[in-house]
Amino acid sequence: MPITIHPTAYVEANAVLGDGVSVGPFAVIEAGAVIGAGSQIGAHAVVHGRVRMGEANILHPHAVLGGLPQDTGFNPETVSWLEIGDGNVFREGFTAHRATVVDGSTRIGSNCYFMNNSHVAHDCSVGNKTIFANNVAIGGFVQVGNNVFMGGAVVVHQFCRIGSYAIVQGTTGINMDVLPYMLIGGRPARHYRLNLVGLRRAGISGDKLKVLSAAFRLLKKKQPLDQLSPTEELLFLQNWLAAESKRGLHGFVDLAD
């Protein structure tokens, strides 16, 4: 398929556009940017030069990819990247910044959906099939897993981790880690139950779901999980808990089991 570029768009030499890429009015694509086949760059959108993105991404008007990190000590000459997978949607006003670390990357996976004015800061990692609702903002070095839903206006402190299949309630402030498979919300934020709908949609049901329910109860009581059947989901949870955490873990709502 041919590449289509609106006459008012500005595409610098040495930008790499795959087959079928379309570039809308007044969009800017800087030299060095790599945009995969079938991607759509909307009106007034900006793709800076240190962006490498895969196929079939949709960038809506006024979204900006690969801008300078919001770090007052950052040297703009630093070589760093924003790397993006395939099939993502970036709605109006979305921003994602490249990394602060030399040769490092801010990373966004595939098939994610980022709503209006959401933001991914420098050195973050976002997994696959994750959704950011309007005005979500994550600070530097945050790690977000796969199949996560972040409700509107959620704000995440730098260096926090959000585990896969978690749901964060809208307007929640996150300043510690969020467990995989859980729902979290409130002020202060607390885990309050399993993400049952998301888990069942992912095919995690029956005995697998019973094991996660038991794990949730044990974690609330600060007891080890070794007594449980080693399902794939439990092993993932145990490995996640064993990984380094710079922020610690949000607690639990005190509800009856």
Side-chain angles (χ1 to χ4, degrees):
M1 295 177 62
I3 297 169
T4 59
I5 301 174
H6 192 274
T8 62
Y10 180 65
V11 180
E12 291 187 337
N14 298 322
V16 179
L17 276 58
D19 291 343
V21 168
S22 64
V23 183
F26 301 102
V28 175
I29 302 175
E30 293 182 347
V34 178
I35 300 176
S39 295
Q40 303 172 35
I41 310 302
H44 297 276
V46 177
V47 181
H48 287 287
R50 298 199 181 277
V51 175
R52 299 185 289 211
M53 59 193 301
E55 299 182 354
N57 291 290
I58 300 175
L59 194 60
H60 282 253
H62 299 285
V64 181
L65 300 182
L68 294 176
Q70 294 179 143
D71 180 342
T72 57
F74 181 72
N75 179 357
E77 301 303 317
T78 301
V79 176
S80 62
W81 305 92
L82 169 62
E83 298 195 60
I84 298 171
D86 304 322
N88 298 289
V89 176
F90 304 99
R91 293 302 302 262
E92 297 83 353
F94 171 82
T95 53
H97 295 161
R98 61 185 175 99
T100 58
V101 179
V102 176
D103 292 326
S105 296
T106 302
R107 298 181 182 274
I108 295 173
S110 296
N111 301 308
C112 297
Y113 197 102
F114 297 92
M115 298 186 194
N116 296 355
N117 301 309
S118 54
H119 172 66
V120 174
H122 60 83
D123 303 282
C124 288
S125 173
V126 179
N128 303 317
K129 297 182 179 179
T130 282
I131 297 173
F132 283 27
N134 295 354
N135 301 305
V136 169
I138 62 174
F141 296 94
V142 167
Q143 300 175 32
V144 182
N146 301 322
N147 298 89
V148 172
F149 181 83
M150 307 275 274
V154 166
V155 178
V156 183
H157 193 281
Q158 61 187 2
F159 293 105
C160 290
R161 300 183 301 154
I162 313 293
S164 293
Y165 296 97
I167 292 183
V168 183
Q169 184 183 70
T171 73
T172 300
I174 298 296
N175 60 3
M176 303 177 79
D177 291 352
V178 174
L179 283 163
Y181 311 119
M182 303 291 183
L183 275 67
I184 190 169
R187 298 170 187 80
R190 292 287 185 268
H191 299 94
Y192 59 94
R193 65 179 174 86
L194 288 177
N195 175 16
L196 295 175
V197 173
L199 292 174
R200 287 173 177 144
R201 286 176 178 172
I204 301 171
S205 58
D207 290 340
K208 291 184 176 183
L209 187 57
K210 290 179 181 178
V211 169
L212 285 180
S213 296
F216 178 62
R217 292 192 293 271
L218 290 170
L219 288 170
K220 285 180 65 176
K221 298 173 183 177
K222 299 183 179 180
Q223 296 180 359
L225 307 180
D226 299 340
Q227 60 187 282
L228 300 176
S229 300
T231 64
E232 179 182 350
E233 293 75 24
L234 181 66
L235 292 173
F236 176 84
L237 176 59
Q238 289 175 310
N239 289 333
W240 189 93
L241 288 167
E244 179 186 7
S245 171
K246 294 188 177 183
R247 302 296 303 170
L249 185 67
H250 274 292
F252 297 84
V253 173
D254 187 15
L255 296 176
D257 291 335

